[in-house]
Amino acid sequence: MKIYNSLTRKKEAFSPLEEGKVKMYACGITVSGEAHIGHAFQALIYDIFRKFLQKQGYEVTYARNYTDVDDKIIAKSRETGIPADEYARMMIEKINGVMRKFNVDDPTLWLKATENIGNIIDFVQRLIEKGHAYPAENGDVYFDVATFPAYGQLSGRSTEDALDGVRVENDDCKKNAYDFALWKRAKEGEISWDSPWGKGRPGWHIECSAMNRAAFGDQIDIHGGGRDLIFPHHENEIAQSEALTGKRFVRYWTHNGLIKVNGQKMSKSLGNSLLLEDLLARYSDEAVKFALLSTNYKNDVNITDALFPEAEAHLIRFYTAIAEAEEKFPQEQGKEGEIDERFNEAMNDDFNTALALSDLFGYFKEVKRLTDAGDPRAKRMVNQIRETYALLGLFCKNAQEYLAQYRKGEEIPAQVLRLAEERKVARAEKNWAKSDELRAQIGALGYAVKDGKEGYELTKID
């Protein structure tokens, strides 16, 4: 099994710190707003990491955090008039609700910054004692980047580069502009805790280091997050943790790509954020997953107007084949192990979900052929696909119930849906003769097909 390590910039054979066991941490959501598609992508990816490692026989302890105190949450508290801790609890409950609709499992451990204040203060105090941090006159505490010569190893930035392209809080109390806050003094009206340096709250970067150490000790196997966290967040985590322990903090740094919307980076400032709850009101959770996983996790996902409708259309086609095979061979319990072997090969190569999904088109073409030929191997293939691809959150639903969502109250036969999907492919290939032939076949079965910008609509002919 190989994993791409962002630190070494190459794929490496996976070998955990302790044989047979994996300690994995992924940076979770800062609960200043609702869950968007980027949050869903990251949660899905690391849920899949965990499940595939378990499939390979590892005992996995997987931790995710909620950042439930930071500048953005405090700003939202001021804006809404809701105390910061209450606002964070309210948003966590809401985010948990929509993530459950998305059907991503909880981690082994949920970690929260506000439940680790003691661990954070202890961590900061130890850094001060070791000469890697210093209290400023104004009550803040900063990490002294100059005391950690390896700073920049993850991002490839020098300390001089650290000021480029990233907002740095300049403060006369800092030794250097690129030193970062471990503890922030309390401002009037802000949520705060007592500390040796006065009332204040944690800096963002120290939270993950302290929670990791409290949960796992000095070292972990896999640390994950979005690529936008490489600098400064993960770079600062390395500096803090390794300065404290003198040990390599993380064995494999992994980063998922970012979400783009029609080629632009998704952001609140551009007004193009896609809330997960809104997407799930329009598409099934499996369609959203299929769309996201069709790209290698390290790459950016470009969300176009067609992305989710196309994913849904593929799943309708696949579930139609499943429904036909399950209806024709209800008693067949066997499985086709080659499907699972190919899946494992793809996933062992740095969790290549895109390759694993590309195999489905050939599988379902064969399922259809075998079903039409009356060969029970069709059902054995379906049984294996359901078992294997459940790891990606796919084909977990009753086929007839899934298809019923798209029939608008009509019981459209699976054969008609299959022909309609074949016709959609023919039109995409500009095979107009075949498209017309399939339209005629659909008409002979008592249905009319109407084409639209996002697909087609089937209606019964009176």
Side-chain angles (χ1 to χ4, degrees):
M1 180 178 182
K2 292 186 177 179
I3 297 178
Y4 182 84
N5 189 343
S6 300
L7 183 65
T8 61
R9 297 166 182 78
K10 64 182 180 181
K11 289 182 186 178
E12 298 178 355
F14 181 65
S15 178
L17 293 159
E18 184 178 352
E19 186 176 352
K21 296 184 177 181
V22 177
K23 296 185 285 188
M24 184 172 85
Y25 178 92
C27 289
I29 301 174
T30 298
V31 295
S32 56
E34 298 186 40
H36 55 62
I37 188 63
H39 298 138
F41 182 39
Q42 196 251 35
L44 175 62
I45 291 302
Y46 289 101
D47 184 46
I48 288 170
F49 275 31
R50 182 256 301 271
K51 287 175 179 173
F52 187 69
L53 287 164
Q54 288 174 329
K55 184 180 184 183
Q56 297 303 94
Y58 291 104
E59 179 186 330
V60 182
T61 305
Y62 167 39
R64 283 177 67 80
N65 77 302
Y66 274 126
T67 296
D68 57 349
V69 56
D70 89 326
D71 293 342
K72 293 178 182 178
I73 293 169
I74 289 170
K76 281 288 186 179
S77 172
R78 290 198 187 101
E79 180 185 319
T80 61
I82 302 171
D85 54 348
E86 290 182 24
Y87 180 84
R89 281 194 294 270
M90 176 184 73
M91 291 308 301
I92 287 172
E93 185 176 345
K94 189 168 187 179
I95 290 166
N96 279 341
V98 72
M99 283 296 184
R100 284 183 172 80
K101 291 180 187 175
F102 190 50
N103 290 313
V104 171
D105 290 345
D106 284 341
T108 316
L109 302 171
W110 271 122
L111 305 176
K112 296 177 184 175
T114 58
E115 294 175 356
N116 281 271
I117 298 299
N119 294 324
I120 292 167
I121 290 173
D122 178 68
F123 201 114
V124 175
Q125 186 65 49
R126 288 172 183 267
L127 284 173
I128 293 171
E129 291 169 1
K130 296 192 75 161
H132 290 290
Y134 57 92
E137 294 177 3
N138 61 1
D140 292 345
V141 180
Y142 293 100
F143 184 86
D144 189 346
V145 172
T147 68
F148 189 72
Y151 191 80
Q153 59 185 299
L154 180 65
S155 63
R157 295 178 183 232
S158 66
T159 50
E160 291 77 16
D161 295 334
L163 301 182
D164 294 337
V166 176
R167 184 176 64 85
V168 174
E169 293 180 2
N170 290 304
D171 192 314
D172 291 339
C173 296
K174 294 164 70 169
K175 291 182 180 179
N176 295 292
Y178 42 73
D179 292 347
F180 56 90
L182 302 172
W183 187 261
K184 295 187 174 186
R185 69 191 182 283
K187 296 176 184 175
E188 187 176 350
E190 287 186 350
I191 187 170
S192 63
W193 290 265
D194 291 327
S195 80
W197 318 286
K199 283 188 172 295
R201 58 185 174 84
W204 175 36
H205 310 297
I206 194 65
E207 296 175 357
C208 288
S209 287
M211 288 188 289
N212 255 301
R213 190 161 186 261
F216 293 122
D218 292 345
Q219 297 176 288
I220 63 173
D221 295 294
I222 298 173
H223 194 314
R227 195 175 64 244
D228 56 329
L229 297 180
I230 290 176
F231 189 88
H233 186 52
H234 288 165
E235 195 74 77
N236 290 351
E237 278 193 65
I238 291 174
Q240 297 161 163
S241 296
E242 296 187 4
L244 179 67
T245 68
K247 300 174 185 177
R248 181 176 173 181
F249 173 35
V250 174
R251 200 151 193 171
Y252 303 90
W253 281 96
T254 63
H255 294 91
N256 60 274
L258 306 180
I259 298 293
K260 293 184 176 179
V261 180
N262 293 318
Q264 286 189 305
K265 180 181 177 181
M266 188 181 75
S267 70
K268 288 182 181 178
S269 61
L270 293 174
N272 62 356
S273 292
L274 297 173
L275 297 184
L276 180 58
E277 191 163 25
D278 293 342
L279 282 173
L280 293 178
R282 298 181 61 194
Y283 307 106
S284 70
D285 66 287
E286 292 196 9
V288 176
K289 289 172 184 171
F290 190 94
L292 295 175
L293 298 176
S294 295
T295 299
N296 186 284
Y297 80 91
K298 296 192 298 296
N299 297 336
D300 293 344
V301 178
N302 186 29
I303 296 178
T304 62
D305 294 340
L307 182 67
F308 297 117
E310 286 179 357
E312 198 83 85
H314 290 318
L315 285 173
I316 292 169
R317 178 182 170 193
F318 295 159
Y319 266 113
T320 299
I322 290 172
E324 289 181 339
E326 290 180 338
E327 183 179 355
K328 198 159 189 175
F329 311 106
Q331 303 305 316
E332 181 60 50
Q333 301 299 316
K335 295 172 187 172
E336 294 288 334
E338 299 85 7
I339 292 172
D340 198 59
E341 290 171 13
R342 283 182 61 86
F343 179 86
N344 289 341
E345 285 177 16
M347 295 294 286
N348 271 319
D349 185 13
D350 194 32
F351 308 100
N352 195 338
T353 60
L355 178 58
L357 291 190
S358 70
D359 285 337
L360 288 170
F361 294 89
Y363 294 155
F364 280 110
K365 184 177 181 181
E366 181 66 3
V367 167
K368 174 189 174 299
R369 187 189 72 79
L370 292 172
T371 301
D372 290 346
D375 190 331
R377 284 182 295 167
K379 178 68 178 330
R380 293 203 289 272
M381 288 185 70
V382 165
N383 292 343
Q384 189 67 66
I385 289 168
R386 278 193 177 278
E387 180 179 287
T388 296
Y389 284 82
L391 189 145
L392 304 183
L394 300 175
F395 310 117
C396 301
K397 303 182 189 302
N398 177 283
Q400 295 291 353
E401 290 177 2
Y402 187 92
L403 294 171
Q405 299 174 61
Y406 306 98
R407 296 174 184 170
K408 300 185 179 180
E410 297 181 49
E411 284 298 319
I412 299 176
Q415 183 183 4
V416 174
L417 288 169
R418 175 166 57 80
L419 290 171
E421 284 298 312
E422 288 181 18
R423 181 175 173 276
K424 181 177 178 180
V425 173
R427 284 174 58 80
E429 295 172 348
K430 301 190 185 311
N431 188 340
W432 308 119
K434 186 175 181 180
S435 171
D436 291 343
E437 180 186 337
L438 290 165
R439 180 190 286 276
Q441 291 180 40
I442 292 167
L445 292 169
Y447 287 83
V449 57
K450 180 181 178 182
D451 299 308
K453 191 162 60 174
E454 292 192 358
Y456 59 83
E457 182 178 344
L458 290 166
T459 55
K460 191 167 181 60
I461 299 171
D462 295 330

